[in-house]
Amino acid sequence: MRKIPDDNLAYPVLVSVGPSTGSGFYLNTGTRTLLITAYHVLYDPQTNALRSEHAELTSYGADRSNANKNILQLNLAAMASFGDIKTDPSADIAVIQVFIRNGATNTITTTRGVTSAVFSGSPIVGVPMEAVSLHADVMIANEVCILGYPVSLGLPHLPQLDYSRPLLRTGIVAGKNDSLRSIVLDCPVYPGNSGGLVLQIEDEGLNYKYRVIGMVIQFVPTIAEIIGTSTSAAIVNSGYSIAASMDNVLALAHQF
């Protein structure tokens, strides 16, 4: 049996904003489905302007034999004006309201900024609220898995990866920053991973418990000395990364 269930493997969303891409995931609150991603995937942190007025969200269903994609086209500029995007630039989080559920009629409708929706026949999979853990419940040394689309990996002349499918990376919770409510992971991340969810795997003997504990926002840099004809320094990836905790994500989600 696979260690991570099929529905959990269907969580990642490829977020394409103009020429750039990032990762994300859907969160089901009961009355709404929200797209969670990093602020800098949608906005230029220097100008706080949208990177593009339009975005495309691509995901797969839990049935892995169905290779068709669920694709949503968004008018980000319209959604921002309608109040369907909530952001926290300091925590590097953006939340987009995509679907609204009407419990009385048992219907689901897209918000006004969703200009096109193509469904694969395998339902969109969102993270349920009961599968979310807050910062206080994150356990140092627990195993984690990062799910996302690091499309910056590889070389153009050496085809190795299917960039239309998400990649997983495992590691552990290396530490916590309580003042920032962020999580330090012993996992290297790369451009494209931003906005991807972090899944904590808890071993309960005969069973595993899976909880979404945060979202990738940064890699941790370090300075490496380069020795050649002259000594210089370069900023390189330390192999550690930072995730925003779900506390900050839910604070935005509750604004809807």
Side-chain angles (χ1 to χ4, degrees):
M1 183 179 70
R2 185 184 290 116
K3 188 173 185 179
I4 299 177
D6 285 346
D7 59 345
N8 284 218
L9 292 175
Y11 285 158
V13 178
L14 175 62
V15 183
S16 303
V17 185
S20 63
T21 63
S23 301
F25 59 97
Y26 293 113
L27 177 69
N28 292 333
T29 66
T31 58
R32 292 168 172 80
T33 295
L34 310 173
L35 185 279
I36 313 299
T37 190
Y39 177 84
H40 73 266
V41 171
L42 303 182
Y43 292 86
D44 182 336
Q46 303 302 316
T47 64
N48 293 317
L50 284 167
R51 294 189 182 277
S52 172
E53 291 190 355
H54 302 279
E56 182 178 274
L57 310 180
T58 304
S59 63
Y60 296 89
D63 180 3
R64 295 186 61 80
S65 66
N66 183 350
N68 296 324
K69 304 170 185 176
N70 297 306
I71 301 175
L72 302 182
Q73 302 287 344
L74 309 183
N75 184 326
L76 294 177
M79 298 183 99
S81 68
F82 296 150
D84 286 328
I85 304 178
K86 307 295 184 184
T87 64
D88 182 349
S90 63
D92 201 1
I93 302 169
V95 177
I96 305 176
Q97 183 172 232
V98 179
F99 297 107
I100 298 176
R101 288 176 165 80
N102 187 323
T105 60
N106 197 28
T107 57
I108 300 175
T109 58
T110 58
T111 55
R112 291 174 289 177
V114 180
T115 58
S116 173
V118 176
F119 299 107
S120 66
S122 187
I124 285 177
V125 179
V127 176
M129 291 295 288
E130 58 267 24
V132 171
S133 280
L134 300 179
H135 185 77
D137 300 318
V138 174
M139 305 294 289
I140 292 175
N142 263 13
E143 184 180 2
V144 294
C145 182
I146 291 174
L147 299 90
Y149 288 85
V151 297
S152 60
L153 297 179
L155 300 173
H157 67 277
L158 186 63
Q160 296 172 307
L161 305 175
D162 180 356
Y163 295 109
S164 68
R165 288 281 190 176
L167 283 179
L168 283 66
R169 189 124 199 181
T170 60
I172 63 167
V173 176
K176 297 166 64 176
N177 187 323
D178 293 332
S179 63
L180 297 176
R181 286 196 298 191
S182 61
I183 305 162
V184 184
L185 307 172
D186 183 19
C187 294
V189 297
Y190 303 93
N193 274 124
S194 294
L197 64 93
V198 181
L199 193 68
Q200 181 172 260
I201 305 170
E202 301 173 17
D203 189 344
E204 297 188 327
L206 297 177
N207 297 300
Y208 292 99
K209 185 167 70 175
Y210 309 92
R211 293 290 183 268
V212 175
I213 61 171
M215 177 193 67
V216 173
I217 55 173
Q218 299 169 342
F219 76 91
V220 176
T222 187
I223 297 176
E225 189 175 72
I226 301 172
I227 299 175
T229 53
S230 62
T231 301
S232 59
I235 296 176
V236 298
N237 192 329
S238 69
Y240 289 96
S241 53
I242 302 296
S245 73
M246 291 302 292
D247 305 57
N248 294 328
V249 171
L250 294 181
L252 286 181
H254 290 155
Q255 292 183 22
F256 290 106

